Amino acid sequence: MPKITFFNLPQEKQKKLVHAARQEFSRVPLYQASITNIVKSARIPRGSFYQYFEDKEDAFFYLLKERVQVNKNYLFSLIKRHEGDIFQTLIDFYKLIITEEEENLSFLRNIFLNMNHQIETEFERSFSNHEANEEFSEFSSLIDKGKLNIKNDEEFACMMKILISVMMRSVIDKFSRDLTEDEAMRHFNIEMNLLKNGLSRN
């Protein structure tokens, strides 16, 4: 997390620094990102950067946490719009991810194509109950479980892991193979329909 000095900055200066960091992490993956480029774009001395963040990883994960919160807001909006249909919610959520504006899309591309355990764990907080938090419980309560072939909360949690794993792999597939939006959506729709309808005839 940023240091207290960052949050004490005027909003305009915070936004300027965050924008500069997002530009850099959209340009290249975290391991290639340059603090020099961030401070040059933000027009601050290099020493000032370390007054606000411990290092570039600190800045990156702050932006990732912001992204996760945006994702949560998307999900709540979509699950309500689709009256608890988790499959249609994830289809629309996937579409939102792959049709982001260019800078956000580049940021997400660098996240997914350079995924490690720490990044994956943070990103999964958009959908999972890592901390059994109230937000997940509220999201879970909005899902129409009467239409799902599950018996209890444990099976629901396992089902969500499967769905999110498929979705994240589909995002990686879209970026790594440079699929068009139409190709990516067609593939993801097939996958969601297979999972929704079941893979066994029995």
Side-chain angles (χ1 to χ4, degrees):
M1 283 292 289
K3 298 178 181 179
I4 190 66
T5 47
F6 172 79
F7 295 108
N8 287 338
L9 284 172
Q11 283 290 318
E12 197 59 37
K13 288 188 176 181
Q14 284 187 32
K15 288 179 181 178
K16 191 174 181 180
L17 181 52
V18 165
H19 179 67
R22 186 180 291 112
Q23 277 187 316
E24 181 64 5
F25 296 129
S26 298
R27 186 183 69 84
V28 292
L30 170 59
Y31 73 93
Q32 291 181 341
S34 163
I35 291 176
T36 299
N37 289 340
I38 294 173
V39 299
K40 186 183 295 184
S41 178
R43 296 182 180 179
I44 61 171
R46 186 181 179 92
S48 294
F49 179 87
Y50 293 102
Q51 291 179 357
Y52 308 132
F53 297 98
E54 290 291 341
D55 46 34
K56 67 180 182 181
E57 286 79 8
D58 193 20
F60 173 83
F61 280 99
Y62 174 66
L63 293 181
L64 183 55
K65 286 176 189 293
E66 282 194 328
R67 182 75 249 171
V68 165
Q69 189 56 54
V70 169
N71 288 345
K72 286 180 179 178
N73 293 339
Y74 280 160
L75 281 169
F76 272 89
S77 174
L78 289 171
I79 198 69
K80 290 174 183 176
R81 183 188 307 170
H82 294 300
E83 299 180 337
D85 185 337
I86 186 60
F87 293 97
Q88 192 57 53
T89 292
L90 290 181
I91 287 170
D92 280 7
F93 182 73
Y94 178 76
K95 185 175 183 179
L96 279 170
I97 289 178
I98 67 170
T99 57
E100 281 273 10
E101 60 185 40
E102 187 53 41
E103 186 174 298
N104 286 336
L105 193 63
S106 295
F107 181 51
L108 289 171
R109 183 184 294 110
N110 284 332
I111 288 173
F112 278 93
L113 294 185
N114 297 275
M115 189 78 73
N116 61 29
H117 179 68
Q118 188 179 5
I119 293 173
E120 182 179 0
T121 298
E122 186 60 47
F123 199 84
E124 283 182 346
R125 291 181 192 277
S126 302
F127 330 92
S128 66
N129 62 339
H130 278 288
E131 299 166 356
N133 57 53
E134 291 183 8
E135 283 185 327
F136 179 80
S137 297
E138 184 181 351
F139 178 74
S140 174
S141 72
L142 294 171
I143 294 173
D144 186 354
K145 298 186 181 72
K147 294 181 179 179
L148 300 174
N149 185 24
I150 56 172
K151 298 174 185 175
N152 50 45
D153 288 344
E154 184 179 14
E155 289 192 355
F156 172 70
C158 289
M159 182 205 74
M160 286 299 297
K161 282 183 181 179
I162 293 168
L163 292 176
I164 299 314
S165 294
V166 169
M167 192 197 71
M168 291 181 71
R169 187 212 51 79
S170 294
V171 175
I172 292 170
D173 196 43
K174 194 272 186 225
F175 290 140
S176 64
R177 295 173 57 199
D178 199 24
L179 299 176
T180 66
E181 290 173 11
D182 286 344
E183 287 174 324
M185 287 306 305
R186 182 171 64 82
H187 292 172
F188 190 63
N189 270 289
I190 290 172
E191 291 169 345
M192 286 294 104
N193 283 326
L194 283 169
L195 290 170
K196 181 177 181 178
N197 297 324
L199 297 172
S200 173
R201 291 183 183 274
N202 297 328

